[in-house]
C-alpha cells in the first residue's frame, strides 16, 4: 500500500502531526523503532509548558513556543490529558543576576508573553514558603504550565488512530530512498513502505534519518539529563515551577510539581555521543539533587522514590528545523526539537500539517472527530461515581496498584485501546500502575497476568519495555 504520509517517530512531535494530518483526507502511517508511542525524549523530560520568556526573540523556538503554549487549554478539553497552568519562577541568588532577569523580561515582552514580572525574594516566599532565603529576586511567569508529556502523546495518538491513522511499532528505519514521486522506506525487520511524503520526527535520531537521503547534513548531539522524583507525600514543597538562572547548557536544575502531585528535580545537562544511553549515574543524580537544594533547602533525600534520565536533541544551529528538505522533495524535517519543544509541539504540528496538506493538495476530512476521552481513573472518582462504575463493570472494584489506586478495569482499558499498552511500562504511562512509592514491587505479577490474557501471550513473553527486557526468564528450578 502507498501512503500519502509516512511519519517516522511517535513522540510528542510525531503524534501531534499525525493528529493534525488526520483532519485531512489522507492515508497516514506512523512508524517507531520502539514498541509503543512516547518511548524516547517524550517519556523522560521535565513536562514543562514554557511560557516563552527564555527563547531568543525572532527564533523559531520563540515563535512556536509562545503560540504552542496558548493552545494547551483547548487541546486539554478536546483530548482529556493532564495539564495545569501553575506558573513559574526564575530564581536569582544574588544581585549579580538582576541583569539576566531583566534580559529574560525583555525577551518575554518581545516574544509576546503575558503575565511576566520581576519580584523580590520576599514576594516569592509569600507564594512559595519553602524557597531558599538566599533568593533575592525572581522572574515570575504566571502562564507557565505543567503537562504529562507521555499522556499527551498517547492522547494525540489515540485520537489520530480513531480518525484513521495507522501505527506500526518495532520498525527501525534503515533505508530511505526516492523513486520518481515516491519514497521507499525499509525497516530493520525487512518491511518496505511507499509514501508520497516522509515526515522525519525521529527526535535524537532525526539527523540520521535526514542523512540517509539528503546531501544537506545535520548533526544531533545527545544532551543527557538526569532527574530524581519525590513521593506525593512531599507535594507541599512547591505548587510552582522553580527554575534557576539559565546557562548556555539549558534552563538549569528545576524543582517542579508534576500533574500527579510528585516533585521532580533536574535535569542535569551532559553532551553525549551515545543517544540511547539513558542509564542514571551517581554523579548525575547527586548533582541534580544538590543543585535542587539551592532552590529548596528542605528537599528530603529520603523522599526520593525513583530516578531516570532522558536524552534531548541538541543541534549545533541551536534552533528548530521545521521545513521541507531543500534537496529532497517531499521529505519534511523536524530536527533539533529540544526545549521548548514540548510547549511548542501543538503549534509545530499545526504548521507542519498545513504545509504538508498544501503540498499534497489534501482536502479536509469531513468526519474528523477532535474528541478523545481518557481512561476513567477510580482515584479521581467520588464514592457515588465509584459505586456506579463498579455496577457497570465490577473490575473497577479490583484494585491492582495500591500506591496509585489503579483498578483492573483501567489496566484492561489501557491495553485494549489503539494504539494500546503492550508491556509494563506502557501500562504505567497510561494509568500510573507502578508509579507509586513501591515502584511496581506489589502489582507487577498481576499486571503481567492481565497483559498475557489480553495480548494472548505467555508470561515469559511479557516485557518491561519491549525487546531485551523480559521479566520471567524461566521456572524456579530451570
Amino acid at each position: 500500500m502507498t501512503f500519502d504520509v509516512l511519519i517516522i517517530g511517535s513522540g510528542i512531535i510525531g503524534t501531534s502531526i499525525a493528529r493534525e494530518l488526520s483532519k485531512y483526507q489522507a492515508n497516514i502511517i506512523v512508524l517507531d523503532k520502539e514498541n509503543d508511542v512516547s518511548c524516547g525524549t517524550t517519556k523522560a523530560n521535565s513536562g514543562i509548558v514554557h511560557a516563552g520568556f527564555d527563547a531568543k526573540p525572532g527564533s523559531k523556538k520563540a515563535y512556536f513556543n509562545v503560540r504552542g503554549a496558548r493552545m494547551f487549554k483547548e487541546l486539554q478539553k478536546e483530548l482529556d490529558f493532564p495539564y495545569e497552568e501553575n506558573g513559574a519562577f526564575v530564581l536569582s541568588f544574588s544581585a549579580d543576576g538582576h541583569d539576566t532577569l531583566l534580559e529574560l523580561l525583555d525577551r518575554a515582552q518581545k516574544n509576546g508573553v503575558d503575565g511576566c514580572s520581576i519580584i523580590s525574594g520576599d514576594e516569592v516566599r509569600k507564594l512559595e514558603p519553602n524557597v531558599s532565603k538566599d533568593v533575592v529576586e525572581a522572574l515570575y511567569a504566571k502562564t507557565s504550565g505543567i503537562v504529562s508529556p507521555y499522556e499527551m502523546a498517547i492522547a494525540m495518538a489515540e485520537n489520530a488512530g480513531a480518525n484513521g491513522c495507522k501505527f506500526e511499532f518495532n520498525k527501525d528505519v534503515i533505508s530511505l530512498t526516492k523513486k520518481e514521486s515516491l519514497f521507499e522506506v525499509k525497516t530493520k525487520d525487512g518491511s518496505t513502505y511507499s509514501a508520497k511524503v516522509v515526515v522525519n520526527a525521529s527526535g535524537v535520531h532525526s539527523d540520521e534519518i535526514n542523512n540517509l537521503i539528503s546531501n544537506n547534513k545535520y548533526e544531533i548531539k545527545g544532551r543527557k539529563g538526569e532527574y530524581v522524583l519525590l513521593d506525593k507525600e512531599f507535594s507541599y514543597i512547591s505548587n510552582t515551577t522553580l527554575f534557576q538562572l539559565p546557562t548556555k547548557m539549558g534552563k538549569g536544575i528545576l524543582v517542579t510539581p508534576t500533574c500527579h502531585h510528585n516533585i521532580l528535580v533536574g535535569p542535569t545537562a551532559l553532551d553525549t555521543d551515545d543517544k540511547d544511553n539513558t542509564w542514571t549515574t551517581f554523579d548525575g543524580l547527586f548533582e541534580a539533587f544538590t543543585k535542587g537544594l539551592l532552590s529548596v533547602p528542605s528537599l528530603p533525600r529520603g523522599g526520593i522514590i525513583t530516578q531516570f534520565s532522558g536524552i534531548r536533541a541538541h543541534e549545533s544551529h541551536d534552533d528548530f528545523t521545521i521545513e521541507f528538505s531543500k534537496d529532497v522533495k517531499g521529505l519534511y524535517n523536524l530536527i533539533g526539537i529540544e526545549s521548548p519543544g514540548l510547549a511548542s509541539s501543538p503549534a509545530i504540528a499545526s504548521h507542519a500539517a498545513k504545509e504538508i496538506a498544501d503540498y499534497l493538495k489534501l482536502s479536509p476530512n469531513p468526519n474528523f472527530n477532535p474528541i478523545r476521552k481518557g481512561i476513567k481513573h477510580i482515584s479521581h472518582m467520588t464514592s457515588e461515581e465509584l459505586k456506579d462504575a463498579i455496577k457497570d463493570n465490577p473490575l473497577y472494584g479490583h484494585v491492582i496498584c495500591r500506591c496509585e489506586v489503579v483498578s483492573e478495569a483501567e489496566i484492561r482499558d489501557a491495553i485494549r485501546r489503539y494504539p494500546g499498552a503492550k508491556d509494563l511500562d506502557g501500562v504505567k504511562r497510561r494509568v500510573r500502575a507502578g508509579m507509586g512509592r513501591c515502584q511496581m514491587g506489589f502489582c507487577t505479577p498481576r499486571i503481567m497476568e492481565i497483559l498475557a490474557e489480553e495480548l494472548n501471550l505467555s508470561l515469559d513473553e511479557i516485557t518491561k519495555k519491549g525487546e531485551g527486557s523480559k521479566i520471567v526468564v524461566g521456572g524456579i528450578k530451570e
Side-chain angles (χ1 to χ4, degrees):
M1 180 179 180
T2 297
F3 293 93
D4 293 305
V5 184
L6 184 150
I7 301 170
I8 304 173
S10 68
I12 190 60
I13 300 298
T15 55
S16 296
I17 292 174
R19 195 250 183 177
E20 282 294 319
L21 281 171
S22 68
K23 294 178 179 178
Y24 299 92
Q25 296 184 60
N27 294 322
I28 306 160
I29 187 169
V30 180
L31 304 183
D32 199 288
K33 69 185 183 72
E34 305 297 338
N35 74 331
D36 198 1
V37 302
S38 71
C39 286
T41 302
T42 299
K43 84 171 190 304
N45 64 69
S46 306
I48 307 299
V49 182
H50 295 285
F53 57 78
D54 183 64
K56 183 180 178 181
S59 66
K60 289 181 181 178
K61 286 183 177 182
Y63 179 88
F64 287 105
N65 183 170
V66 174
R67 284 155 183 79
R70 290 172 180 164
M71 298 169 71
F72 270 75
K73 288 181 181 178
E74 185 60 29
L75 281 170
Q76 182 193 38
K77 291 178 184 176
E78 293 179 346
L79 297 175
D80 195 17
F81 57 81
Y83 163 74
E84 181 182 336
E85 191 175 280
N86 69 321
F89 292 109
V90 180
L91 306 176
S92 175
F93 299 89
S94 75
D96 294 341
H98 183 70
D99 288 345
T100 302
L101 293 182
L102 285 177
E103 181 184 348
L104 292 176
L105 181 61
D106 182 60
R107 287 188 178 193
Q109 293 167 346
K110 289 178 177 176
N111 292 343
V113 180
D114 298 323
C116 287
S117 60
I118 294 176
I119 65 175
S120 70
D122 288 339
E123 290 175 295
V124 172
R125 283 180 288 274
K126 283 181 183 179
L127 295 168
E128 294 294 350
N130 294 301
V131 165
S132 170
K133 290 181 171 57
D134 293 332
V135 171
V136 296
E137 60 181 347
L139 178 77
Y140 184 26
K142 292 183 179 180
T143 59
S144 182
I146 51 177
V147 68
S148 175
Y150 43 87
E151 288 180 83
M152 180 180 175
I154 289 165
M156 290 285 187
E158 287 184 4
N159 189 239
N163 285 292
C165 183
K166 186 177 181 182
F167 288 80
E168 291 191 13
F169 298 100
N170 299 308
K171 301 293 182 181
D172 189 0
V173 173
I174 58 171
S175 173
L176 179 60
T177 56
K178 188 82 180 286
K179 294 183 178 179
E180 296 180 355
S181 62
L182 292 177
F183 288 93
E184 183 178 85
V185 181
K186 293 184 179 181
T187 58
K188 195 173 183 179
D189 67 349
S191 302
T192 302
Y193 303 84
S194 295
K196 298 173 185 175
V197 168
V198 168
V199 177
N200 174 16
S202 47
V204 294
H205 298 288
S206 55
D207 57 338
E208 298 160 36
I209 295 298
N210 171 80
N211 297 349
L212 286 173
I213 191 170
S214 174
N215 291 319
N216 183 23
K217 305 300 183 184
Y218 287 88
E219 182 180 3
I220 293 289
K221 176 70 71 172
R223 184 159 287 175
K224 183 176 181 178
E226 299 187 48
Y227 297 85
V228 297
L229 188 75
L230 305 189
D231 188 71
K232 291 180 180 181
E233 176 186 346
F234 305 99
S235 62
Y236 64 84
I237 283 173
S238 183
N239 295 309
T240 311
T241 300
L242 306 175
F243 294 102
Q244 298 170 4
L245 287 179
T247 70
K248 65 179 182 179
M249 293 296 285
K251 299 178 177 67
I253 299 296
L254 58 81
V255 176
T256 185
T258 70
C259 288
H260 299 287
H261 311 297
N262 297 94
I263 293 291
L264 183 66
V265 184
T268 55
L270 178 67
D271 286 347
T272 174
D273 292 326
D274 186 351
K275 299 184 211 172
D276 294 312
N277 176 12
T278 56
W279 291 101
T280 54
T281 65
F282 174 84
D283 289 343
L285 297 174
F286 183 81
E287 177 189 349
F289 192 84
T290 302
K291 289 184 177 179
L293 288 170
L294 298 176
S295 299
V296 181
S298 60
L299 282 178
R301 199 175 295 275
I304 298 171
I305 58 171
T306 193
Q307 56 277 319
F308 63 92
S309 74
I311 307 288
R312 43 207 194 265
H314 180 70
E315 208 277 323
S316 58
H317 293 95
D318 199 27
D319 203 0
F320 299 156
T321 295
I322 305 167
E323 62 188 16
F324 276 108
S325 168
K326 292 178 174 60
D327 67 338
V328 182
K329 190 175 181 180
L331 173 64
Y332 199 93
N333 275 321
L334 299 115
I335 296 176
I337 312 297
E338 58 181 339
S339 180
L342 176 60
S344 304
S345 60
I348 290 174
S350 178
H351 174 85
K354 186 178 186 307
E355 289 202 319
I356 294 164
D358 289 346
Y359 175 83
L360 291 173
K361 297 180 172 57
L362 300 177
S363 300
N365 177 4
N367 299 314
F368 175 76
N369 179 4
I371 305 301
R372 171 262 187 188
K373 292 303 295 180
I375 295 169
K376 292 195 300 184
H377 299 294
I378 63 171
S379 61
H380 300 169
M381 295 180 186
T382 64
S383 296
E384 288 303 316
E385 288 170 340
L386 180 56
K387 286 179 183 178
D388 290 340
I390 293 172
K391 185 176 180 181
D392 291 338
N393 182 353
L395 295 183
Y396 280 109
H398 296 179
V399 175
I400 304 299
C401 173
R402 295 181 180 180
C403 297
E404 293 292 320
V405 193
V406 182
S407 68
E408 182 174 341
E410 295 163 64
I411 294 169
R412 292 189 184 274
D413 189 1
I415 299 167
R416 292 172 184 175
R417 288 177 173 231
Y418 181 79
K422 305 167 192 68
D423 54 32
L424 291 171
D425 280 2
V427 170
K428 180 191 289 189
R429 284 190 292 272
R430 286 164 174 82
V431 295
R432 294 190 58 78
M435 284 200 178
R437 181 183 287 272
C438 88
Q439 289 291 294
M440 297 195 99
F442 175 79
C443 58
T444 293
R446 184 61 188 129
I447 297 173
M448 290 178 63
E449 290 174 347
I450 295 169
L451 279 163
E453 292 167 14
E454 290 288 338
L455 301 176
N456 195 27
L457 299 172
S458 62
L459 282 174
D460 60 7
E461 292 177 287
I462 302 302
T463 66
K464 182 182 186 296
K465 56 178 182 178
E467 185 178 357
S469 63
K470 285 188 176 182
I471 309 299
V472 175
V473 296
I476 292 174
K477 294 186 179 182
E478 293 176 11

